[in-house]
Amino acid sequence: MGGKRTAHFFAGCLALTALSGIVALTLGSFPTTLSDVAHGVLAFLTGNPAGSTGARVVSDLRLPRFLLGLLTGGALAASGAVFQTVLTNPLADPYILGVSGGAAVGSVVAFVVGGGDWPLLQLLSFAGAALGALAVYWLAGVSGRRSPGRLILMGVIVGALMNAVILVLLALTPPGKVPEALFWLMGDLSRGGRNSLVILIPLVGAGFLLLLALSRGLDVMLLGDEEAAATGLSVESFKGIAVGVASLLTGTVVAFTGLIGFVGLIIPHVVRRFTGGLHSRVLPGSFLAGGAFLVLSDAFSRILQPVGLLPVGAVTALVGAPFFIVILRRRA
Amino acid sequence: MERDRKKGRGKGERTSILIFTLLLLLIAAATASGREAERVTDARGKAFSPGPYRRIVSLAPNLTEILFSIGAGDRVVGVTSFCTIPPDAGRIARVGGIVDPDIEKIIALSPDLVVASKNGTGKSAVETLDSLGLSCFVFDVDSAGKVLEAMETLSLLTGMPPEAGKVIESFRSRLLRLRKSTPREKVKGLLLLSVTPPIGAGGKTFIDEVLALAGVDNLLKEETAAYPRLSAEKVVSLRPDYIFITRGMGEREVARFRKTMEALSGNTRIVEVDADLFTRPGPRVLKAVEVLRKVIGRR
């Protein structure tokens, strides 16, 4: 895998991110001029309220949504890459070990008791995600080694249980709130705001850097548990740390956006085609590509918004699946 | 003071200035409190100036319907894609769904008021609109009485359209008449919004009130869920005199449900009713009562 190819890939990723930014900031039902966009970005950065309505649309709606999309897509894709390595399973995604089920239960509880208000929704989603991951990890190790197979099996079992719990909870949700809860479960980037970003940027940044710090260990993990142990890596505790960090990173973004699928599963595969398996490249590549992909999917979903309902979580699969079938069919 | 004395202003002059200032303060206070008294509060307790508002975006189908019923339809500049009643509402600019309206589209319509429903309009949408300075007037309409209140509030906010008074009075007297004439002898029944699987209206819905006013004892009154999911067996075990089914479901499914019910409980009458009357608490909520009374033969 040549370094040139990797360099090209990263240049492409940056270009794609820039493109997604331009699309996200200029596209919308409210007619905005380039000056609105510039003033809006400036107002967002300085924290002063924007002057014109157009600039306010950019600073209060489009820019926070763009950043939320970048962070969420990036975090999901990077976590997905880690899960796929640690579990030695190409079908692994950030939701496989209980995070999604736990977050979903937490968020629906928030809709039942608090109507989905900030910050209860975010807190309960995150708590649910963390508890779900913890439950899976603990149960998988109750009698014996936490092999990838046992972890995944336990993830599936806990996930099924959580699904049943969600159905019961939805029956108890106030009728007017059910569509909102379902919408949240499918993923929703509209809840971004300054206050969410102030929390998210440092947390996602820290989580991603932690994963990056694990790159060497993750590279070794690709050899399989035994081989990795032979190199002197304490496989069990490394797995625990990697899964823990990736789960918390996923839980953090899920708490702000609901469950957006597909990004965390497919992006790492595509990225590896270009960068090879080294995690010091796969992780940043996944972060950039995942972020840009989610922002573009969201832009697509917003174009369709006045006509009908198509949540971004559905668009990622609708737009992404055919695109990635083509990419993955081409031999790297 | 020093300068005053030097300029030789008399005591009288100073007193008159004082009185004048006091008077100004009094007038200011009076107008402020007058305005205070005029303010209208929404379901969240948020105070609004009474308007009149001329460019309204409605984020709930029942509120759209109420606005049109009181003759304020010409004030509505934006509706959700679910606001299809009355047909005139369908010709107004669409701002997307109920849970996730397109905020930018709403802003682009430059409304002076946005009306939203407490249990329906997406909370994040309401919060975002608030933060942008486009205040949402939130209504909590879950009964016929609340429909009447919403009619009055919206009439106030739109500066009393000419027809409003008559419409509201007629609604009030009809509601009063229906309340007084509620049949003492009840029939037992339930209303299903879906038949495969059967999903009924429980006690925490406005449909429960409609059934009660019509003289139907709602067999699902005690259910925990607002819209409980039932089984055919459960429906049979409740021994209803009437099962009301909202129209619009697959004909074949309804036919199959009928067949099952007729085989299992021969005395139950299954009646299809207009779905629109039972899915949105709006001005036609009383019509829903009258339709049910007609069906069970109590006028």
Side-chain angles (χ1 to χ4, degrees), chain B residues 34-55:
Chain B
R35 240 186 250 144
E36 207 54 52
E38 271 174 29
R39 289 183 93 74
V40 192
T41 50
D42 75 349
R44 298 178 293 173
K46 207 174 151 154
F48 286 74
S49 113
Y53 297 96
R54 297 178 197 286
R55 295 184 62 80

Side-chain angles (χ1 to χ4, degrees), chain B residues 138-213:
Chain B
V138 177
F139 287 87
D140 184 13
V141 181
D142 56 2
S143 67
K146 290 280 184 68
V147 172
L148 182 63
E149 269 178 41
M151 284 173 136
E152 286 170 334
T153 309
L154 283 171
S155 150
L156 187 65
L157 292 173
T158 51
M160 311 276 179
E163 304 150 53
K166 222 169 73 188
V167 173
I168 292 172
E169 262 335 292
S170 130
F171 188 94
R172 191 199 310 278
S173 59
R174 256 171 93 200
L175 176 59
L176 212 65
R177 209 164 50 234
L178 285 173
R179 277 187 183 150
K180 272 189 192 151
S181 62
T182 302
R184 288 236 180 77
E185 254 178 62
K186 309 267 186 203
V187 296
K188 290 187 294 176
L190 51 94
L191 186 134
L192 298 181
L193 295 148
S194 148
V195 288
T196 43
I199 294 177
K204 292 172 196 156
T205 61
F206 82 95
I207 297 172
D208 184 68
E209 186 197 22
V210 170
L211 291 170
L213 285 173

Side-chain angles (χ1 to χ4, degrees), chain B residues 76-299:
Chain B
V76 185
V77 295
V79 295
T80 72
S81 37
F82 297 92
C83 296
T84 49
I85 299 170
D88 278 346
R91 284 194 271 277
I92 295 171
R94 301 286 161 102
V95 299
I98 299 172
V99 179
D100 69 329
D102 183 348
I103 306 287
E104 290 195 17
K105 188 84 185 279
I106 298 174
I107 302 173
L109 292 168
S110 55
D112 52 10
L113 186 72
V114 178
V115 294
S117 154
K118 188 177 171 219
N119 280 314
T121 312
K123 202 145 207 162
S124 71
V126 173
E127 281 163 8
T128 310
L129 286 169
D130 275 343
S131 77
L132 287 165
L134 263 183
S135 286
C136 281
F137 198 107
V138 177
F139 287 87
D140 184 13
V141 181
D142 56 2
S143 67
K146 290 280 184 68
V147 172
L148 182 63
E149 269 178 41
M151 284 173 136
E152 286 170 334
T153 309
L154 283 171
S155 150
L156 187 65
L157 292 173
T158 51
M160 311 276 179
E163 304 150 53
K166 222 169 73 188
V167 173
I168 292 172
E169 262 335 292
S170 130
F171 188 94
R172 191 199 310 278
S173 59
R174 256 171 93 200
L175 176 59
L176 212 65
R177 209 164 50 234
L178 285 173
R179 277 187 183 150
K180 272 189 192 151
S181 62
T182 302
R184 288 236 180 77
E185 254 178 62
K186 309 267 186 203
V187 296
K188 290 187 294 176
L190 51 94
L191 186 134
L192 298 181
L193 295 148
S194 148
V195 288
T196 43
I199 294 177
K204 292 172 196 156
T205 61
F206 82 95
I207 297 172
D208 184 68
E209 186 197 22
V210 170
L211 291 170
L213 285 173
V216 180
D217 195 4
N218 185 5
L219 294 168
L220 302 176
K221 204 176 189 59
E222 305 301 330
E223 294 288 326
T224 331
Y227 293 98
R229 189 180 162 147
L230 313 159
S231 61
E233 200 175 318
K234 164 96 180 182
V235 175
V236 172
S237 75
L238 290 168
R239 303 184 175 283
D241 301 319
Y242 286 90
I243 297 175
F244 303 104
I245 303 178
T246 53
R247 234 172 253 129
M249 281 171 265
E251 268 174 43
R252 232 184 265 166
E253 278 147 39
V254 173
R256 199 180 315 136
F257 181 79
R258 259 181 205 285
K259 221 168 152 190
T260 316
M261 284 299 133
E262 274 157 15
L264 293 172
S265 78
N267 298 329
T268 304
R269 279 195 59 198
I270 298 171
V271 185
E272 285 193 73
V273 289
D274 194 356
D276 281 335
L277 291 177
F278 295 92
T279 44
R280 37 190 84 175
R284 289 171 308 143
V285 63
L286 304 182
K287 174 95 187 290
V289 176
E290 286 157 3
V291 164
L292 291 188
R293 281 199 189 178
K294 196 169 171 190
V295 167
I296 61 179
R298 313 257 168 89
R299 309 236 33 191

Side-chain angles (χ1 to χ4, degrees), chain A residues 134-156:
Chain A
L134 212 61
V136 169
Y137 192 75
W138 177 70
L139 287 169
V142 162
S143 54
R145 209 168 55 85
R146 288 185 182 89
S147 65
R150 285 177 68 96
L151 279 167
I152 291 175
L153 189 61
M154 221 29 100
V156 170

Side-chain angles (χ1 to χ4, degrees), chain A residues 20-325:
Chain A
S20 76
I22 293 169
V23 171
L25 292 184
T26 52
L27 193 91
S29 330
F30 190 91
T32 46
T33 61
L34 280 181
S35 133
D36 284 335
V37 173
H39 281 110
V41 172
L42 206 67
F44 182 84
L45 293 177
T46 56
N48 299 324
S52 69
T53 312
R56 279 212 83 169
V57 165
V58 173
S59 72
D60 291 21
L61 298 176
R62 291 182 193 168
L63 190 53
R65 192 171 177 136
F66 165 61
L67 293 175
L68 185 62
L70 274 190
L71 290 172
T72 305
L76 290 176
S79 306
V82 172
F83 276 108
Q84 286 167 3
T85 298
V86 173
L87 299 174
T88 55
N89 190 321
L91 287 177
D93 74 358
Y95 300 145
I96 200 162
L97 296 189
V99 170
S100 59
V105 168
S107 61
V108 178
V109 168
F111 277 105
V112 173
V113 301
D117 277 346
W118 159 273
L120 188 70
L121 176 63
Q122 285 72 13
L123 283 174
L124 286 183
S125 300
F126 180 76
L131 283 177
L134 212 61
V136 169
Y137 192 75
W138 177 70
L139 287 169
V142 162
S143 54
R145 209 168 55 85
R146 288 185 182 89
S147 65
R150 285 177 68 96
L151 279 167
I152 291 175
L153 189 61
M154 221 29 100
V156 170
I157 292 172
V158 170
L161 179 69
M162 294 297 163
N163 269 343
V165 174
I166 290 164
L167 286 180
V168 173
L169 286 173
L170 280 178
L172 301 176
T173 308
K177 287 284 157 202
V178 172
E180 208 177 343
L182 289 176
F183 227 80
W184 172 258
L185 290 179
M186 285 188 284
D188 177 10
L189 286 177
S190 73
R191 289 175 195 244
R194 276 194 90 84
N195 45 3
S196 329
L197 290 168
V198 166
I199 302 169
L200 264 178
I201 291 173
L203 286 181
V204 171
F208 177 69
L209 288 178
L210 274 175
L211 287 184
L212 212 52
L214 299 175
S215 288
R216 294 290 291 278
L218 288 167
D219 292 342
V220 175
M221 287 296 294
L222 285 177
L223 303 169
D225 285 13
E226 268 100 60
E227 302 286 323
T231 66
L233 185 75
S234 159
V235 170
E236 269 296 287
S237 48
F238 181 80
K239 246 190 226 173
I241 293 169
V243 165
V245 174
S247 295
L248 287 182
L249 182 57
T250 305
T252 307
V253 293
V254 161
F256 288 88
T257 61
L259 298 169
I260 295 171
F262 201 72
V263 183
L265 173 67
I266 293 299
I267 295 287
H269 288 295
V270 175
V271 171
R272 279 192 211 99
R273 296 248 143 179
F274 293 94
T275 64
L278 284 182
H279 285 85
S280 54
R281 293 174 183 173
V282 172
L283 293 178
S286 297
F287 196 94
L288 284 176
F293 172 63
L294 186 57
V295 170
L296 289 172
S297 299
D298 183 48
F300 192 76
S301 131
R302 283 197 296 135
I303 296 175
L304 296 179
Q305 198 178 21
V307 207
L309 308 166
L310 198 55
V312 61
V315 175
T316 50
L318 191 72
V319 181
F323 175 67
F324 290 117
I325 287 172

